[in-house]
Coordinates of all heavy atoms in Angstrom, one line a residue:
M104 N -3.4 3.7 -14.2 CA -3.1 2.4 -14.8 C -2.9 1.4 -13.6 O -2.1 1.7 -12.7 CB -1.9 2.5 -15.6 CG -1.4 1.1 -16.2 SD -0.1 1.2 -17.4 CE 1.3 1.7 -16.4
N105 N -3.6 0.4 -13.5 CA -3.5 -0.7 -12.5 C -2.8 -1.9 -13.2 O -3.3 -2.3 -14.2 CB -4.8 -1.1 -11.9 CG -5.4 0.0 -11.1 OD1 -4.8 1.1 -10.9 ND2 -6.6 -0.2 -10.7
I106 N -1.8 -2.4 -12.6 CA -1.1 -3.6 -13.1 C -1.1 -4.6 -12.0 O -0.6 -4.3 -10.9 CB 0.4 -3.2 -13.5 CG1 0.4 -2.1 -14.5 CG2 1.1 -4.4 -14.0 CD1 1.7 -1.5 -14.7
K107 N -1.6 -5.8 -12.2 CA -1.5 -6.9 -11.2 C -0.1 -7.5 -11.2 O 0.5 -7.8 -12.3 CB -2.6 -8.0 -11.6 CG -4.0 -7.5 -11.3 CD -4.7 -8.6 -10.6 CE -6.1 -8.0 -10.4 NZ -6.6 -8.3 -9.1
I108 N 0.4 -7.7 -10.0 CA 1.7 -8.3 -9.8 C 1.7 -9.3 -8.7 O 0.7 -9.3 -8.0 CB 2.8 -7.2 -9.6 CG1 2.4 -6.4 -8.3 CG2 2.9 -6.3 -10.7 CD1 3.5 -5.5 -7.8
Q109 N 2.7 -10.0 -8.5 CA 2.9 -10.9 -7.4 C 3.8 -10.2 -6.4 O 4.9 -9.7 -6.8 CB 3.4 -12.3 -7.8 CG 2.5 -13.0 -8.6 CD 1.2 -13.5 -7.9 OE1 1.3 -14.0 -6.8 NE2 0.1 -13.2 -8.5
A110 N 3.5 -10.2 -5.1 CA 4.4 -9.6 -4.1 C 4.4 -10.5 -2.9 O 3.5 -11.2 -2.6 CB 3.8 -8.2 -3.7
M111 N 5.5 -10.3 -2.1 CA 5.7 -11.1 -0.9 C 5.4 -10.2 0.3 O 5.9 -9.1 0.4 CB 7.1 -11.6 -0.7 CG 7.5 -12.7 -1.7 SD 6.6 -14.2 -1.4 CE 7.2 -14.7 0.2
T112 N 4.4 -10.5 1.1 CA 4.1 -9.8 2.4 C 3.9 -10.8 3.5 O 3.3 -11.9 3.2 CB 2.8 -8.9 2.2 OG1 1.7 -9.7 1.9 CG2 3.0 -7.8 1.2
N113 N 4.4 -10.5 4.6 CA 4.3 -11.4 5.8 C 4.7 -12.8 5.4 O 4.0 -13.8 5.8 CB 2.8 -11.4 6.3 CG 2.5 -10.0 6.8 OD1 3.3 -9.2 7.3 ND2 1.2 -9.6 6.7
N114 N 5.7 -13.0 4.6 CA 6.3 -14.3 4.2 C 5.3 -15.1 3.4 O 5.4 -16.3 3.4 CB 6.8 -15.1 5.4 CG 8.0 -14.4 6.1 OD1 8.8 -13.8 5.4 ND2 8.0 -14.4 7.4
K115 N 4.3 -14.5 2.7 CA 3.4 -15.2 1.9 C 3.3 -14.5 0.6 O 3.3 -13.2 0.5 CB 2.1 -15.5 2.5 CG 1.3 -14.3 2.7 CD -0.1 -14.6 3.3 CE -1.0 -13.4 3.4 NZ -2.3 -13.7 3.9
Q116 N 3.2 -15.2 -0.5 CA 3.0 -14.6 -1.8 C 1.5 -14.2 -2.0 O 0.6 -15.0 -1.7 CB 3.5 -15.5 -2.9 CG 3.5 -14.7 -4.3 CD 4.5 -15.4 -5.2 OE1 5.3 -16.2 -4.8 NE2 4.4 -15.0 -6.5
Q117 N 1.2 -13.1 -2.6 CA -0.1 -12.7 -2.8 C -0.2 -11.8 -4.0 O 0.8 -11.3 -4.5 CB -0.7 -12.0 -1.6 CG -0.1 -10.6 -1.3 CD -0.6 -10.0 -0.1 OE1 -0.1 -10.2 1.0 NE2 -1.7 -9.2 -0.2
T118 N -1.4 -11.6 -4.5 CA -1.6 -10.7 -5.7 C -1.6 -9.3 -5.1 O -2.2 -9.0 -4.1 CB -2.9 -11.0 -6.4 OG1 -2.9 -12.4 -6.8 CG2 -3.1 -10.2 -7.6
A119 N -1.0 -8.4 -5.9 CA -1.0 -7.0 -5.5 C -1.2 -6.2 -6.8 O -1.2 -6.7 -7.9 CB 0.4 -6.6 -4.9
V120 N -1.5 -4.9 -6.6 CA -1.8 -4.0 -7.7 C -0.8 -2.8 -7.6 O -0.6 -2.3 -6.6 CB -3.3 -3.5 -7.6 CG1 -3.6 -2.5 -8.8 CG2 -4.2 -4.7 -7.7
K121 N -0.3 -2.5 -8.8 CA 0.6 -1.3 -8.9 C -0.3 -0.2 -9.4 O -0.9 -0.4 -10.5 CB 1.8 -1.6 -9.8 CG 2.8 -0.5 -9.8 CD 3.9 -0.9 -10.8 CE 5.2 -0.4 -10.3 NZ 6.3 -0.8 -11.2
L122 N -0.4 0.9 -8.7 CA -1.2 2.0 -9.2 C -0.6 3.3 -8.9 O 0.4 3.4 -8.2 CB -2.6 1.9 -8.6 CG -2.8 1.8 -7.1 CD1 -2.8 3.2 -6.5 CD2 -4.0 1.1 -6.8
Y123 N -1.1 4.4 -9.4 CA -0.6 5.7 -9.3 C -1.6 6.7 -8.7 O -2.8 6.6 -9.2 CB 0.0 6.2 -10.6 CG 1.1 5.4 -11.2 CD1 0.8 4.3 -11.9 CD2 2.4 5.7 -10.9 CE1 1.8 3.5 -12.4 CE2 3.4 4.9 -11.3 CZ 3.1 3.8 -12.1 OH 4.2 3.0 -12.5
T124 N -1.2 7.5 -7.7 CA -2.1 8.5 -7.3 C -1.4 9.8 -7.7 O -0.4 9.8 -8.4 CB -2.2 8.5 -5.7 OG1 -0.9 8.9 -5.1 CG2 -2.7 7.2 -5.2
E125 N -1.9 10.9 -7.3 CA -1.4 12.2 -7.7 C 0.1 12.4 -7.2 O 0.9 13.0 -7.9 CB -2.2 13.4 -7.2 CG -1.7 14.7 -7.5 CD -2.6 15.8 -7.0 OE1 -3.7 15.5 -6.5 OE2 -2.2 17.0 -7.0
H126 N 0.4 11.8 -6.0 CA 1.7 12.0 -5.4 C 2.5 10.8 -5.3 O 3.7 10.9 -4.9 CB 1.5 12.6 -4.0 CG 0.8 14.0 -4.1 ND1 1.3 15.1 -4.5 CD2 -0.5 14.3 -3.7 CE1 0.5 16.1 -4.5 NE2 -0.7 15.6 -4.0
Y127 N 2.0 9.6 -5.5 CA 2.7 8.4 -5.3 C 2.5 7.3 -6.3 O 1.4 7.2 -6.9 CB 2.3 7.7 -3.9 CG 2.7 8.5 -2.7 CD1 1.8 9.4 -2.1 CD2 3.9 8.4 -2.1 CE1 2.1 10.1 -1.0 CE2 4.3 9.1 -1.0 CZ 3.4 9.9 -0.4 OH 3.7 10.6 0.7
A128 N 3.6 6.5 -6.6 CA 3.4 5.2 -7.2 C 3.3 4.2 -6.0 O 4.1 4.3 -5.1 CB 4.6 4.9 -8.1
L129 N 2.3 3.3 -6.1 CA 2.1 2.4 -5.0 C 1.9 1.0 -5.4 O 1.4 0.7 -6.5 CB 0.7 2.8 -4.3 CG 0.6 4.2 -3.7 CD1 -0.8 4.5 -3.2 CD2 1.6 4.3 -2.5
I130 N 2.3 0.1 -4.6 CA 2.0 -1.3 -4.7 C 1.1 -1.6 -3.5 O 1.5 -1.4 -2.4 CB 3.2 -2.2 -4.8 CG1 4.1 -1.9 -6.0 CG2 2.8 -3.7 -4.8 CD1 5.4 -2.7 -6.0
V131 N -0.1 -2.0 -3.8 CA -1.1 -2.3 -2.7 C -1.6 -3.7 -2.8 O -1.7 -4.3 -3.9 CB -2.3 -1.3 -2.7 CG1 -1.8 0.1 -2.5 CG2 -3.1 -1.4 -4.0
S132 N -1.9 -4.3 -1.7 CA -2.4 -5.6 -1.6 C -3.7 -5.7 -2.2 O -4.6 -4.8 -2.1 CB -2.4 -6.0 -0.1 OG -3.1 -7.3 0.0
D133 N -4.0 -6.8 -2.9 CA -5.3 -7.0 -3.5 C -6.2 -7.8 -2.5 O -7.3 -8.2 -2.8 CB -5.2 -7.8 -4.8 CG -6.3 -7.6 -5.7 OD1 -7.0 -6.6 -5.6 OD2 -6.5 -8.4 -6.6
E134 N -5.7 -8.1 -1.3 CA -6.4 -8.9 -0.3 C -7.5 -8.1 0.4 O -7.3 -6.9 0.6 CB -5.3 -9.3 0.7 CG -5.8 -9.7 2.0 CD -4.6 -10.0 3.0 OE1 -3.5 -9.5 2.8 OE2 -4.8 -10.8 3.9
H135 N -8.6 -8.7 0.6 CA -9.7 -8.1 1.4 C -9.3 -8.1 2.9 O -9.1 -9.2 3.4 CB -11.0 -8.8 1.2 CG -12.1 -8.2 1.9 ND1 -12.7 -7.0 1.6 CD2 -12.8 -8.6 3.0 CE1 -13.6 -6.7 2.4 NE2 -13.7 -7.7 3.3
I136 N -9.2 -7.0 3.5 CA -8.8 -6.9 4.9 C -10.1 -7.0 5.8 O -11.0 -6.2 5.7 CB -8.1 -5.6 5.2 CG1 -6.8 -5.5 4.4 CG2 -7.8 -5.4 6.7 CD1 -6.1 -4.2 4.3
K137 N -10.1 -8.1 6.6 CA -11.2 -8.4 7.5 C -10.9 -7.9 8.9 O -11.9 -7.7 9.7 CB -11.5 -9.9 7.4 CG -11.9 -10.3 6.1 CD -12.1 -11.8 6.0 CE -12.3 -12.3 4.6 NZ -12.2 -13.7 4.5
D138 N -9.7 -7.9 9.3 CA -9.3 -7.6 10.7 C -8.2 -6.6 10.7 O -7.1 -6.9 10.1 CB -8.9 -8.8 11.4 CG -8.7 -8.7 12.9 OD1 -8.7 -7.5 13.3 OD2 -8.4 -9.7 13.6
V139 N -8.3 -5.4 11.3 CA -7.3 -4.4 11.3 C -6.2 -4.7 12.2 O -5.1 -4.2 12.0 CB -8.0 -3.0 11.6 CG1 -8.4 -3.0 13.1 CG2 -7.1 -1.9 11.3
R140 N -6.4 -5.5 13.2 CA -5.4 -5.7 14.2 C -4.0 -6.1 13.7 O -3.0 -5.5 14.2 CB -5.9 -6.7 15.3 CG -7.0 -6.1 16.1 CD -7.6 -7.1 17.0 NE -8.4 -8.1 16.2 CZ -9.2 -8.9 16.7 NH1 -9.4 -9.0 18.0 NH2 -9.9 -9.7 15.9
P141 N -3.8 -6.9 12.7 CA -2.4 -7.2 12.3 C -1.8 -6.1 11.6 O -0.5 -6.1 11.3 CB -2.6 -8.4 11.3 CG -4.0 -8.9 11.6 CD -4.8 -7.8 12.1
F142 N -2.5 -5.0 11.2 CA -2.0 -3.9 10.4 C -1.9 -2.6 11.1 O -1.6 -1.6 10.5 CB -2.8 -3.8 9.1 CG -3.0 -5.0 8.3 CD1 -4.2 -5.7 8.3 CD2 -1.9 -5.6 7.6 CE1 -4.3 -6.9 7.6 CE2 -2.0 -6.7 6.9 CZ -3.2 -7.4 6.9
I143 N -2.2 -2.6 12.4 CA -2.2 -1.3 13.2 C -0.9 -0.6 13.0 O 0.2 -1.2 13.1 CB -2.5 -1.6 14.6 CG1 -4.0 -2.0 14.8 CG2 -2.2 -0.3 15.5 CD1 -4.3 -2.4 16.2
G144 N -0.9 0.7 12.6 CA 0.3 1.4 12.5 C 0.9 1.4 11.1 O 1.8 2.2 10.7
Q145 N 0.4 0.5 10.2 CA 0.9 0.4 8.8 C 0.0 1.4 8.0 O -1.1 1.7 8.3 CB 0.8 -1.0 8.3 CG 1.8 -1.9 9.0 CD 1.8 -3.3 8.4 OE1 1.8 -3.5 7.2 NE2 1.7 -4.3 9.3
Y146 N 0.5 1.7 6.8 CA -0.3 2.6 5.9 C -1.2 1.8 5.0 O -0.9 0.7 4.6 CB 0.7 3.4 5.0 CG 1.4 4.5 5.8 CD1 2.7 4.3 6.3 CD2 0.8 5.8 6.0 CE1 3.3 5.3 7.0 CE2 1.5 6.8 6.6 CZ 2.7 6.5 7.2 OH 3.4 7.5 7.8
H147 N -2.4 2.5 4.7 CA -3.3 1.9 3.7 C -3.8 3.0 2.8 O -3.8 4.2 3.1 CB -4.5 1.2 4.4 CG -5.4 2.1 5.1 ND1 -5.2 2.6 6.4 CD2 -6.6 2.7 4.7 CE1 -6.2 3.4 6.7 NE2 -7.0 3.5 5.7
L148 N -4.3 2.6 1.6 CA -4.9 3.4 0.7 C -6.4 3.3 0.8 O -6.9 2.2 0.7 CB -4.4 3.1 -0.8 CG -5.0 4.0 -1.9 CD1 -4.5 5.4 -1.8 CD2 -4.6 3.4 -3.2
E149 N -7.1 4.3 1.1 CA -8.5 4.3 1.3 C -9.3 4.9 0.2 O -9.0 6.0 -0.2 CB -8.8 5.0 2.6 CG -10.3 4.9 3.1 CD -10.5 5.4 4.4 OE1 -9.5 5.7 5.2 OE2 -11.7 5.6 4.8
G150 N -10.1 4.1 -0.4 CA -10.9 4.5 -1.5 C -10.2 5.0 -2.7 O -10.7 5.7 -3.6
G151 N -8.9 4.5 -2.9 CA -8.1 4.8 -4.0 C -7.5 6.2 -4.0 O -6.9 6.6 -5.0
L152 N -7.8 7.0 -2.9 CA -7.4 8.4 -2.9 C -6.5 8.8 -1.7 O -5.6 9.6 -1.9 CB -8.6 9.3 -2.9 CG -9.6 9.1 -4.2 CD1 -10.8 9.9 -3.9 CD2 -8.9 9.6 -5.4
T153 N -6.9 8.4 -0.5 CA -6.3 8.9 0.7 C -5.4 7.9 1.3 O -5.8 6.7 1.5 CB -7.4 9.2 1.7 OG1 -8.4 10.1 1.1 CG2 -6.9 9.9 2.9
I154 N -4.2 8.3 1.8 CA -3.3 7.5 2.5 C -3.4 7.8 4.0 O -3.2 8.9 4.4 CB -1.8 7.7 1.9 CG1 -1.7 7.2 0.5 CG2 -0.8 6.9 2.8 CD1 -0.4 7.5 -0.2
N155 N -3.6 6.7 4.8 CA -3.7 6.9 6.2 C -3.1 5.7 6.9 O -2.8 4.7 6.2 CB -5.2 6.9 6.7 CG -5.9 8.1 6.2 OD1 -5.5 9.2 6.4 ND2 -7.1 7.9 5.6
K156 N -2.8 5.8 8.2 CA -2.4 4.6 8.9 C -3.7 3.9 9.4 O -4.7 4.5 9.7 CB -1.6 5.1 10.2 CG -0.2 5.5 9.8 CD 0.7 5.5 11.0 CE 2.2 5.7 10.5 NZ 3.1 5.5 11.6
F157 N -3.5 2.6 9.5 CA -4.6 1.8 10.0 C -4.9 2.2 11.5 O -4.0 2.5 12.3 CB -4.3 0.3 10.0 CG -4.5 -0.4 8.7 CD1 -3.4 -0.6 7.9 CD2 -5.8 -0.7 8.2 CE1 -3.6 -1.2 6.7 CE2 -5.9 -1.3 7.0 CZ -4.8 -1.6 6.2
P158 N -6.2 2.4 11.8 CA -6.6 2.8 13.2 C -6.4 1.6 14.2 O -6.2 0.5 13.8 CB -8.0 3.2 13.1 CG -8.5 2.3 12.0 CD -7.4 2.2 11.0
N159 N -6.4 1.9 15.4 CA -6.3 0.9 16.5 C -7.6 0.4 17.0 O -7.7 -0.1 18.1 CB -5.4 1.4 17.6 CG -5.9 2.6 18.3 OD1 -7.0 3.1 17.9 ND2 -5.2 3.1 19.3
Y160 N -8.7 0.6 16.2 CA -10.0 0.1 16.5 C -10.6 -0.5 15.3 O -10.2 -0.3 14.1 CB -10.9 1.3 17.0 CG -11.0 2.4 16.0 CD1 -11.9 2.4 14.9 CD2 -10.1 3.5 16.1 CE1 -11.9 3.5 14.0 CE2 -10.1 4.5 15.2 CZ -11.0 4.5 14.2 OH -11.0 5.6 13.3
L161 N -11.6 -1.4 15.5 CA -12.2 -2.1 14.4 C -13.1 -1.1 13.6 O -13.8 -0.3 14.2 CB -13.0 -3.3 14.9 CG -12.2 -4.4 15.5 CD1 -13.2 -5.5 16.0 CD2 -11.2 -5.0 14.6
T162 N -13.1 -1.2 12.3 CA -13.8 -0.3 11.4 C -14.1 -1.0 10.1 O -13.5 -2.0 9.8 CB -13.1 1.0 11.2 OG1 -13.9 1.9 10.5 CG2 -11.8 0.8 10.5
D163 N -14.9 -0.4 9.3 CA -15.2 -1.0 7.9 C -13.9 -0.8 7.1 O -13.5 0.4 6.9 CB -16.4 -0.3 7.3 CG -16.7 -0.8 5.9 OD1 -16.1 -1.8 5.5 OD2 -17.5 -0.1 5.2
L164 N -13.4 -1.9 6.6 CA -12.2 -1.8 5.8 C -12.4 -2.2 4.4 O -11.4 -2.4 3.6 CB -11.1 -2.8 6.4 CG -10.8 -2.5 7.9 CD1 -9.9 -3.6 8.5 CD2 -10.0 -1.2 8.0
G165 N -13.6 -2.2 3.9 CA -14.0 -2.6 2.6 C -13.2 -1.8 1.5 O -12.9 -2.3 0.4
A166 N -13.0 -0.5 1.7 CA -12.3 0.3 0.7 C -10.8 0.5 1.0 O -10.2 1.3 0.3 CB -13.0 1.7 0.7
C167 N -10.2 -0.2 1.9 CA -8.8 -0.1 2.3 C -8.0 -1.1 1.7 O -8.3 -2.3 1.7 CB -8.7 -0.1 3.8 SG -9.6 1.2 4.7
K168 N -6.8 -0.7 1.2 CA -5.8 -1.7 0.7 C -4.5 -1.4 1.3 O -4.0 -0.2 1.4 CB -5.7 -1.5 -0.8 CG -6.9 -1.8 -1.6 CD -7.3 -3.2 -1.5 CE -8.5 -3.6 -2.3 NZ -9.0 -4.9 -2.1
L169 N -3.8 -2.4 1.9 CA -2.5 -2.3 2.5 C -1.5 -1.9 1.5 O -1.4 -2.4 0.4 CB -2.1 -3.6 3.1 CG -0.7 -3.7 3.8 CD1 -0.7 -2.9 5.0 CD2 -0.4 -5.2 4.1
I170 N -0.7 -0.8 1.9 CA 0.4 -0.4 1.0 C 1.6 -1.2 1.3 O 2.1 -1.2 2.4 CB 0.7 1.1 1.2 CG1 -0.6 2.0 0.9 CG2 1.9 1.6 0.4 CD1 -0.4 3.4 1.2
I171 N 2.1 -1.9 0.3 CA 3.2 -2.8 0.4 C 4.5 -2.1 0.1 O 5.5 -2.3 0.7 CB 3.1 -4.0 -0.6 CG1 1.8 -4.8 -0.2 CG2 4.3 -4.9 -0.6 CD1 1.4 -5.8 -1.3
A172 N 4.5 -1.2 -0.9 CA 5.7 -0.4 -1.3 C 5.2 0.9 -1.9 O 4.1 1.0 -2.4 CB 6.6 -1.2 -2.2
H173 N 6.1 1.9 -2.0 CA 5.7 3.2 -2.6 C 6.9 3.9 -3.2 O 8.1 3.5 -2.9 CB 5.1 4.0 -1.5 CG 6.0 4.7 -0.6 ND1 6.8 3.9 0.3 CD2 6.4 6.0 -0.4 CE1 7.6 4.7 1.0 NE2 7.3 6.0 0.6
R174 N 6.6 4.9 -3.9 CA 7.6 5.9 -4.4 C 7.0 7.2 -4.6 O 6.0 7.3 -5.3 CB 8.3 5.4 -5.7 CG 9.4 6.4 -6.2 CD 10.1 5.9 -7.4 NE 9.3 5.8 -8.5 CZ 9.0 6.8 -9.4 NH1 9.5 8.0 -9.2 NH2 8.2 6.6 -10.4
P175 N 7.4 8.2 -3.9 CA 6.9 9.6 -4.1 C 7.1 10.0 -5.5 O 8.2 9.9 -6.1 CB 7.6 10.5 -3.1 CG 8.1 9.5 -2.1 CD 8.4 8.3 -2.8
L176 N 6.1 10.6 -6.2 CA 6.3 11.2 -7.5 C 6.5 12.7 -7.5 O 6.9 13.2 -8.5 CB 5.0 10.8 -8.3 CG 4.7 9.3 -8.5 CD1 3.4 9.2 -9.2 CD2 5.8 8.6 -9.3
T177 N 6.2 13.3 -6.4 CA 6.3 14.7 -6.2 C 7.2 14.9 -5.0 O 7.9 14.0 -4.6 CB 4.9 15.4 -6.0 OG1 4.3 14.8 -4.8 CG2 4.0 15.1 -7.2
D178 N 7.0 16.1 -4.3 CA 7.8 16.3 -3.1 C 7.0 15.7 -1.9 O 7.3 16.1 -0.7 CB 8.1 17.8 -2.9 CG 6.8 18.6 -2.8 OD1 5.7 18.1 -3.1 OD2 6.9 19.8 -2.5
A179 N 6.1 14.8 -2.1 CA 5.4 14.1 -1.0 C 6.4 13.4 -0.1 O 7.4 12.9 -0.6 CB 4.3 13.2 -1.6
P180 N 6.0 13.3 1.2 CA 7.0 12.6 2.1 C 7.1 11.1 1.8 O 6.1 10.5 1.3 CB 6.4 12.9 3.5 CG 4.9 13.1 3.2 CD 4.8 13.7 1.9
I181 N 8.2 10.5 2.2 CA 8.4 9.1 2.2 C 7.6 8.5 3.4 O 7.5 9.1 4.5 CB 9.9 8.7 2.3 CG1 10.6 9.1 1.0 CG2 10.1 7.3 2.7 CD1 12.1 8.8 1.0
L182 N 6.9 7.4 3.1 CA 6.0 6.8 4.1 C 6.9 5.9 5.0 O 7.4 4.9 4.6 CB 4.9 6.0 3.5 CG 4.0 6.7 2.5 CD1 3.0 5.8 1.9 CD2 3.3 7.8 3.2
K183 N 7.2 6.4 6.2 CA 8.1 5.7 7.1 C 7.7 4.3 7.4 O 6.5 4.0 7.7 CB 8.2 6.5 8.4 CG 9.2 5.9 9.4 CD 9.4 6.8 10.6 CE 10.4 6.2 11.5 NZ 10.5 7.0 12.8
G184 N 8.6 3.3 7.2 CA 8.3 1.9 7.4 C 7.8 1.2 6.2 O 7.6 0.0 6.2
V185 N 7.5 1.9 5.1 CA 7.0 1.3 3.9 C 8.2 1.2 2.9 O 8.8 2.3 2.6 CB 5.8 2.1 3.3 CG1 5.3 1.4 2.0 CG2 4.7 2.2 4.3
P186 N 8.5 0.1 2.4 CA 9.7 0.0 1.4 C 9.4 0.8 0.2 O 8.3 1.1 -0.2 CB 9.7 -1.5 1.0 CG 8.9 -2.2 2.1 CD 7.9 -1.2 2.6
L187 N 10.6 1.3 -0.4 CA 10.5 2.1 -1.6 C 10.5 1.1 -2.8 O 11.2 0.1 -2.7 CB 11.7 3.0 -1.7 CG 11.7 4.2 -0.8 CD1 13.1 4.9 -0.8 CD2 10.6 5.1 -1.0
I188 N 9.7 1.4 -3.8 CA 9.6 0.5 -4.9 C 10.9 0.2 -5.6 O 11.2 -1.0 -5.8 CB 8.6 1.1 -6.0 CG1 7.2 1.0 -5.4 CG2 8.6 0.3 -7.3 CD1 6.1 1.7 -6.2
N189 N 11.7 1.2 -5.9 CA 13.0 0.9 -6.6 C 14.0 0.2 -5.8 O 14.9 -0.4 -6.3 CB 13.6 2.2 -7.1 CG 13.9 3.2 -6.1 OD1 13.5 3.1 -4.9 ND2 14.6 4.3 -6.4
E190 N 13.9 0.1 -4.4 CA 14.8 -0.6 -3.6 C 14.4 -2.0 -3.4 O 15.2 -2.9 -3.2 CB 15.0 0.1 -2.3 CG 15.7 1.4 -2.4 CD 15.9 2.1 -1.1 OE1 15.4 1.6 0.0 OE2 16.4 3.2 -1.0
T191 N 13.1 -2.3 -3.3 CA 12.6 -3.6 -2.9 C 11.9 -4.3 -4.1 O 12.1 -5.5 -4.2 CB 11.5 -3.4 -1.8 OG1 12.2 -2.7 -0.7 CG2 11.1 -4.8 -1.3
Y192 N 11.2 -3.6 -4.9 CA 10.4 -4.2 -5.9 C 10.8 -3.9 -7.3 O 10.0 -4.0 -8.3 CB 8.9 -3.9 -5.7 CG 8.4 -4.5 -4.5 CD1 8.4 -3.8 -3.3 CD2 7.9 -5.8 -4.4 CE1 7.9 -4.4 -2.1 CE2 7.5 -6.4 -3.3 CZ 7.5 -5.7 -2.1 OH 7.0 -6.2 -1.0
G193 N 12.0 -3.4 -7.5 CA 12.5 -3.1 -8.9 C 12.2 -1.7 -9.2 O 11.5 -1.0 -8.5
D194 N 12.8 -1.3 -10.4 CA 12.6 0.1 -10.8 C 11.1 0.3 -11.2 O 10.4 -0.6 -11.7 CB 13.5 0.3 -12.1 CG 13.7 1.8 -12.3 OD1 13.4 2.6 -11.5 OD2 14.1 2.1 -13.5
D195 N 10.7 1.5 -11.0 CA 9.3 1.9 -11.3 C 9.3 2.9 -12.5 O 9.6 4.0 -12.3 CB 8.7 2.6 -10.1 CG 7.3 3.1 -10.4 OD1 6.5 2.3 -10.9 OD2 7.0 4.3 -10.1
K196 N 9.0 2.4 -13.6 CA 8.9 3.2 -14.8 C 7.4 3.3 -15.2 O 6.8 2.3 -15.4 CB 9.7 2.7 -16.0 CG 11.2 2.5 -15.6 CD 11.9 3.8 -15.6 CE 13.4 3.6 -15.4 NZ 14.0 4.6 -14.6
Q197 N 6.9 4.5 -15.4 CA 5.5 4.7 -15.8 C 5.4 4.4 -17.3 O 6.2 4.7 -18.1 CB 5.0 6.1 -15.5 CG 4.6 6.2 -14.1 CD 3.9 7.6 -13.8 OE1 4.3 8.6 -14.4 NE2 3.0 7.6 -13.0

């Protein structure tokens, strides 16, 4: 289930999407990422399936969405440096 919401990132309001993977509830940016440099070291969701850190080189980012907040649904690890949904963006009820 994808739910459009408003979120604050980098001191600007933008549209974000709340979605669920097998292991996480995520809030991801709906913004098209054109330049990886501002996001190096931050986590992104690639192709709706894989969570990775942004690389330190330019690459095709068409399928990547910046992860704004998260909550593990299983024993998956907490993504260091990414706010938890229930602490920053309210309670997460499926």
Side-chain angles (χ1 to χ4, degrees):
M104 175 173 71
N105 292 353
I106 303 167
K107 289 226 179 222
I108 60 172
Q109 295 292 312
M111 289 293 292
T112 58
N113 299 328
N114 294 323
K115 67 176 184 176
Q116 188 157 345
Q117 67 184 92
T118 303
V120 177
K121 187 180 216 178
L122 55 88
Y123 298 87
T124 68
E125 182 179 348
H126 300 287
Y127 292 96
L129 299 170
I130 297 176
V131 297
S132 170
D133 204 22
E134 160 185 26
H135 179 74
I136 297 170
K137 298 174 186 164
D138 185 354
V139 70
R140 291 174 288 192
F142 305 108
I143 290 173
Q145 295 183 45
Y146 287 95
H147 70 276
L148 181 66
E149 188 171 343
L152 300 171
T153 308
I154 295 175
N155 291 311
K156 283 195 171 188
F157 279 102
N159 59 3
Y160 54 86
L161 295 177
T162 185
D163 179 13
L164 301 170
C167 297
K168 298 294 182 186
L169 177 66
I170 297 175
I171 298 170
H173 77 296
R174 182 174 63 86
L176 299 175
T177 62
D178 61 352
I181 289 178
L182 304 175
K183 187 175 180 181
V185 180
L187 291 172
I188 289 174
N189 60 348
E190 292 178 358
T191 306
Y192 292 95
D194 197 16
D195 176 51
K196 303 285 187 217
Q197 281 187 323

